[in-house]
Amino acid sequence: MRLLPGSLDHVRERNESAWLMPPHPGTNHQLRHDMRRFEDDDEVDLVIVGCGAGGSTLMQRLARLGWRIVALDAGPFWEPERDWVSDEAGSHHLYWNDPRVIAGSDPVPLGSNNSGRGVGGSMVHYAGYTPRFHPSDFRTYSQDGVGADWPFAYEDLRPYYQDIEEELPVAGEDWPWGDPHSYPHSPHPVGGNGEIFLEGARKVGITAKVGPVAISNGRFGNRPHCIYRGFCLQGCKVDAKASPLITHIPDALAHGAEVRADSMVTRVGVDDRTGRATGVHYVRRGRERFQRARMVAVAGYSIETPRLLLNSATERWPNGLCNDHDLVGRYVMVQGAPQTAGRFDREIRMYKAPPPEVSSEQFYETDPKAPYQRGFSIQTVSPLPITWSEHVIAQGHWGASLREYMSDYVHWACFGALCEFLPRPENRVTLDEEKDRHGMPIAHFSYSQGENDQQLLQAAQQKMEEILHAAGADETMTIQRFAHLVGGARMAATEDKGVVSGDCQSFAIPNLYLTDGSVLPTQGSANPALTIMAIAARAASRLARGARGGPPR
Amino acid sequence: MNQKLPLQDPNARGRFPGFDTASQAEYWDMATKAVVAERLGMPPNIRFFTREEEATANALCDQLLDQQEDPRVPVVHLIDARLAEKQYDGWHYEDMPEDAEAWKQSLAALDQDSREAWSRPFHECDLGEQRGVIQAIVDRGSGEWHGMIAKRVWSLWTRYACSAFYSHPWAWDEIGFPGPAFPRGYKNIGVDKLEPFEVRDAKPVDPTRIGDADRGKS
């Protein structure tokens, strides 16, 4: 069913966030001023570590049911009008910039590429693509003999996808791939980069669609329309692009939850005698503190969640919490994300309009004729000048030729692929010898590609080149990169295969949950934000139902 | 604010005649205006690099960005400020120290290469000699260079240098990019569509299709 823009008023009954925003770009200061504040000694129903996609969704859902919740985040409680800028270099503070070590045969740069910090998490600086996973993603092992099967099926997640798509809301054309579906907001108009994608794809017979992007197309609650300024990756000052900061946190605050920002959690407290979590140790304003809680949910994403579990070792769990089976920190995944650009005499000016415009999932599934398993998606990207300079440098240009190529910026269109790299146990987060300023060992992330991964990269680059040439590009250039992080504490049907159950409950400690991207067993070729939110919403629903409205005792 | 960068290549110079990003500052929000104004103002003092490192870094960055005459974007001041404030990118390779130390080591190594090849510090070599020393490092690719992997040093240098340079309105003027866009946004999106304040490229032909063969790469 296609709902017309403006017909999303029913969302207000289950999530009022968009109506709690001011009727202009900005922050509801009164709501934050009036926020409930708990004491460290209050044994709250739930303490959440991390206010990103997973943590914020869980908080909003359970706060609505009357749970007393404190959500801690290591970074700030953003005030976009003051803290964010319409500028590339000036947005460096949006990322997790604390030290981390990267290793392996294909080390993955972190920070700006994939790691958020502050309330809203990485969704503050994600592009805004919110595709669903395909039904096949939940059974890659039984279907294709690679990856892993999830402990639940796509159909179990579908209602949560639908709910979150309305709450963000997502704009896009009717979606023909995976489980075909529609989006609550109609597709956005496209800029030069999107036009080139549509034109080239049509000429080579590849299906391409506008969307799906979590950018309101038309007013949603009090949130304004997108202004097509192109700085989605620098934090949306307009409040058009969805992040939990505006889609779930306001409603959570209105229902009595507390967001405690600038609070770095260093250990989960566990009582070895009872085998239960007791709260979290954290540092705020230089002071070490402990928040008591009847239940703990860790949502620090694929690097920080394993790091926190490993650093919370006790006598009972000497190798880190929930790590009796040596699974914590393993099977971390990134997508291969080559970006291929094409040069046109026409002016593309890809910096205008949001970078996420058009995508194709035609090559998402395993192609029986191809030598590799699983597939890739293709999307518009649209790097701003600093990022674009990396593309030019990667071709070997420097000095005069770098400046000259850069002066050609307005003539280039740029696409990115997301290749489904397969999960491997040796791709893992461990604790490094180096310590951060809190004295906590920093994360060491080792990553290496497999042969299937490399074949996907080549196939994806070839398709992007085909589309660009068909649209009239006379020259292309490609840069090899990675995108997104998931896995590191994956869910499974049994404790010897995963750290948590399909409900995000850890097998080892019944009142410890993990509700973030680290629980994903596979990653598909989809951007993960929507799926992380849907999984957290599902976990919340199961928790509430199973406990008859309260946390388990 | 009307200064222009003296781009060396005659074909690229003046592609966007009259385009002046900073003249649009009245349309930017306050927070953004403040961060951009800082780049146009007096550069921060050098705090991190020693005098010798500063000289090497200036010669290196002048080469990387082809800034051989004034006015220059004060790239080394901006890099120095980031390193002094430990404003790194949130990761470093296992086989490399963190960025500040990696800069120090790599600048010393660059100087050492110049002394071995030309018996002079890097910044005293002529431009052609400097280019040779740099290109030799680029050519090592994944190979080792003074105990580090060459391409990772290259990535460190170019990442910091380009972040500083292409954050500057003068560089935006040169490439036709209007910079900040809030709260105004864009009204005319699509191929070949311009806002009233954008300037069409006066030399739209692909630089690779023009002229001499040695212009593809430095």
Side-chain angles (χ1 to χ4, degrees):
Chain A
M1 178 183 62
R2 149 92 36 192
L3 298 167
L4 295 170
S7 69
L8 283 174
D9 285 353
H10 63 280
V11 171
R12 187 173 187 174
E13 288 161 28
R14 64 171 193 271
N15 180 351
E16 199 171 13
S17 293
W19 288 264
L20 291 166
M21 297 293 291
H24 51 78
T27 303
N28 184 339
H29 294 283
Q30 191 66 41
L31 185 65
R32 292 200 192 174
H33 178 267
D34 295 342
M35 180 174 74
R36 184 170 180 184
R37 285 167 174 86
F38 294 93
E39 300 292 330
D40 283 352
D41 278 341
D42 289 337
E43 192 187 40
V44 295
D45 294 325
L46 171 67
V47 64
I48 300 173
V49 183
C51 294
S56 302
T57 305
L58 182 75
M59 169 170 50
Q60 185 266 339
R61 291 300 199 261
L62 295 176
R64 278 236 151 203
L65 298 175
W67 288 39
R68 303 182 320 141
I69 302 175
V70 175
L72 306 175
D73 198 283
F77 201 167
W78 302 112
E79 289 187 32
E81 65 273 42
R82 180 197 70 187
D83 302 338
W84 298 351
V85 290
S86 195
D87 180 77
E88 206 179 358
S91 301
H92 194 260
H93 59 304
L94 299 185
Y95 318 126
W96 188 283
N97 292 321
D98 287 358
R100 288 162 166 174
V101 173
I102 60 172
S105 65
D106 304 283
V108 176
L110 299 168
S112 66
N113 189 37
N114 47 26
S115 303
R117 185 168 171 278
V119 178
S122 304
M123 283 181 79
V124 164
H125 60 79
Y126 78 146
Y129 278 117
T130 45
R132 295 185 190 179
F133 279 26
H134 288 199
S136 67
D137 285 320
F138 297 75
R139 47 168 199 263
T140 61
Y141 185 73
S142 49
Q143 180 180 302
D144 297 317
V146 294
D149 288 355
W150 295 42
F152 55 76
Y154 169 85
E155 288 70 25
D156 296 308
L157 208 53
R158 182 199 282 132
Y160 303 97
Y161 274 141
Q162 289 166 337
D163 282 354
I164 300 287
E165 280 166 358
E166 288 188 337
E167 290 166 55
L168 296 178
V170 181
E173 290 188 77
D174 287 346
W175 214 245
W177 296 289
D179 174 30
H181 56 277
S182 299
Y183 286 109
H185 271 192
S186 51
H188 284 272
V190 298
N193 207 18
E195 285 182 9
I196 294 292
F197 194 132
L198 292 170
E199 180 186 330
R202 192 178 61 243
K203 286 184 177 158
V204 291
I206 292 172
T207 305
K209 294 286 174 185
V210 180
V213 294
I215 302 172
S216 49
N217 186 7
R219 191 165 273 273
F220 174 62
N222 288 336
R223 280 170 50 197
H225 193 290
C226 175
I227 62 169
Y228 305 103
R229 73 188 172 114
F231 283 88
C232 302
L233 276 68
Q234 285 66 36
C236 185
K237 283 181 83 95
V238 183
D239 292 335
K241 188 192 79 174
S243 89
L245 183 70
I246 58 173
T247 63
H248 288 79
I249 298 283
D251 191 65
L253 297 194
H255 287 84
E258 177 188 348
V259 169
R260 202 174 296 161
D262 306 305
S263 300
M264 176 67 189
V265 175
T266 54
R267 289 174 68 87
V268 175
V270 172
D271 183 337
D272 273 355
R273 189 180 52 81
T274 61
R276 297 174 66 84
T278 55
V280 294
H281 298 268
Y282 68 102
V283 181
R284 186 159 201 262
R285 305 184 68 212
R287 275 184 54 218
E288 291 186 18
R289 294 166 54 169
F290 182 77
Q291 175 65 55
R292 297 177 65 214
R294 292 158 65 203
M295 178 182 288
V296 175
V298 178
Y301 210 10
S302 294
I303 306 292
E304 294 303 315
T305 290
R307 178 189 180 209
L308 181 59
L309 295 177
L310 294 173
N311 195 51
S312 301
T314 67
E315 267 184 42
R316 162 67 187 84
W317 284 281
N319 302 316
L321 296 183
C322 313
N323 200 24
D324 284 354
H325 297 275
D326 191 22
L327 290 167
V328 171
R330 292 193 182 273
Y331 300 102
V332 177
M333 288 163 272
V334 298
Q335 285 156 336
Q339 292 187 353
T340 300
R343 203 273 177 195
F344 298 82
D345 283 349
R346 294 175 282 170
E347 294 189 7
I348 311 304
R349 297 192 180 252
M350 59 180 164
Y351 56 82
K352 295 164 74 168
E357 296 193 289
V358 176
S359 43
S360 175
E361 293 174 9
Q362 185 163 326
F363 310 102
Y364 194 108
E365 303 285 342
T366 297
D367 174 358
K369 297 192 293 292
Y372 47 80
Q373 301 296 309
R374 306 303 293 159
F376 55 90
S377 60
I378 304 175
Q379 306 173 329
T380 51
V381 286
S382 303
L384 291 173
I386 292 172
T387 314
W388 179 243
S389 71
E390 289 176 32
H391 291 241
V392 177
I393 294 269
Q395 315 307 313
H397 300 291
W398 57 278
S401 101
L402 167 69
R403 289 275 292 281
E404 191 177 302
Y405 255 87
M406 286 300 295
S407 77
D408 209 36
Y409 175 56
V410 301
H411 294 282
W412 289 79
C414 189
F415 309 154
L418 296 177
C419 302
E420 180 177 347
F421 282 5
L422 299 172
R424 296 153 64 93
E426 61 272 30
N427 289 338
R428 66 187 295 208
V429 171
T430 52
L431 297 179
D432 198 75
E433 285 168 15
E434 194 180 328
K435 295 193 170 158
D436 70 8
R437 57 186 290 272
H438 304 295
M440 184 175 171
I442 69 172
H444 178 284
F445 176 31
S446 179
Y447 193 86
S448 304
Q449 289 169 20
E451 200 184 322
N452 198 75
D453 303 339
Q454 283 159 7
Q455 289 175 328
L456 284 174
L457 289 176
Q458 287 164 13
Q461 178 177 338
Q462 196 189 335
K463 285 294 170 202
M464 291 191 285
E465 287 171 353
E466 267 179 44
I467 297 171
L468 286 161
H469 285 305
D474 56 0
E475 182 190 352
T476 60
M477 61 166 94
T478 296
I479 182 172
Q480 297 299 337
R481 344 169 21 266
F482 304 101
H484 309 125
L485 288 166
V486 292
R490 69 183 187 179
M491 58 167 66
T494 54
E495 66 177 335
D496 57 325
K497 294 282 196 303
V499 179
V500 296
S501 70
D503 293 350
C504 297
Q505 182 181 27
S506 74
F507 288 114
I509 300 171
N511 66 336
L512 175 61
Y513 280 67
L514 310 180
T515 56
D516 62 11
S518 66
V519 304
L520 271 62
T522 61
Q523 60 178 348
S525 306
N527 317 60
L530 180 82
T531 298
I532 296 170
M533 290 183 122
I535 287 171
R538 181 176 181 273
S541 164
R542 308 273 294 179
L543 247 178
R545 224 179 304 161
R548 296 177 193 277
R553 291 196 164 272
Chain B
M1 290 222 176
N2 287 321
Q3 278 186 303
K4 287 282 175 193
L5 286 171
L7 185 61
Q8 310 295 313
D9 188 295
N11 289 304
R13 184 191 297 148
R15 289 183 77 159
F16 303 95
F19 185 56
D20 182 3
T21 318
S23 74
Q24 299 293 308
E26 64 183 293
Y27 300 101
W28 306 343
D29 68 282
M30 267 176 53
T32 303
K33 213 184 288 186
V35 301
V36 178
E38 207 174 309
R39 296 174 199 146
L40 288 162
M42 202 182 88
N45 290 330
I46 298 288
R47 288 165 284 165
F48 174 77
F49 289 131
T50 64
R51 192 191 56 74
E52 291 79 9
E53 288 162 354
E54 181 190 353
T56 313
N58 270 311
L60 171 66
C61 291
D62 285 351
Q63 282 284 356
L64 295 180
L65 296 159
D66 193 35
Q67 292 204 96
Q68 298 301 357
E69 54 186 284
D70 286 326
R72 290 176 168 93
V73 173
V75 168
V76 171
H77 288 262
L78 299 172
I79 295 173
D80 181 90
R82 281 188 62 182
L83 298 176
E85 290 161 15
K86 299 189 175 183
Q87 207 191 92
Y88 309 144
D89 288 328
W91 53 273
H92 68 82
Y93 292 105
E94 183 178 43
D95 54 10
M96 268 173 87
E98 65 179 12
D99 293 359
E101 183 56 31
W103 265 99
K104 280 182 173 291
Q105 287 181 17
S106 59
L107 290 174
L110 180 65
D111 222 33
Q112 193 186 326
D113 280 10
S114 315
R115 288 173 198 274
E116 280 166 17
W118 306 104
S119 308
R120 285 190 295 279
F122 183 75
H123 65 92
E124 284 181 16
C125 292
D126 71 33
L127 296 181
E129 291 164 353
Q130 288 178 352
R131 277 197 287 273
V133 173
I134 293 172
Q135 191 61 49
I137 300 166
V138 176
D139 292 343
R140 278 174 189 262
S142 302
E144 199 194 287
W145 180 71
H146 294 274
M148 295 172 280
I149 293 177
K151 70 175 182 186
R152 292 181 180 170
V153 176
W154 186 244
S155 155
L156 178 81
W157 289 347
T158 55
R159 191 155 31 95
Y160 275 75
C162 286
S163 293
F165 187 79
Y166 286 104
S167 73
H168 201 284
W170 297 348
W172 299 339
D173 294 347
E174 183 176 286
I175 67 174
F177 172 67
F182 182 82
R184 179 164 57 181
Y186 294 118
K187 286 199 162 34
N188 300 313
I189 58 173
V191 173
D192 272 335
K193 287 186 183 155
L194 294 189
E195 312 296 318
F197 52 88
E198 290 178 310
V199 171
R200 193 167 293 285
D201 182 6
K203 298 169 183 170
V205 178
D206 190 338
T208 58
R209 293 207 302 260
I210 324 166
D212 35 331
D214 63 344
R215 280 244 322 291
K217 309 216 169 175
S218 289

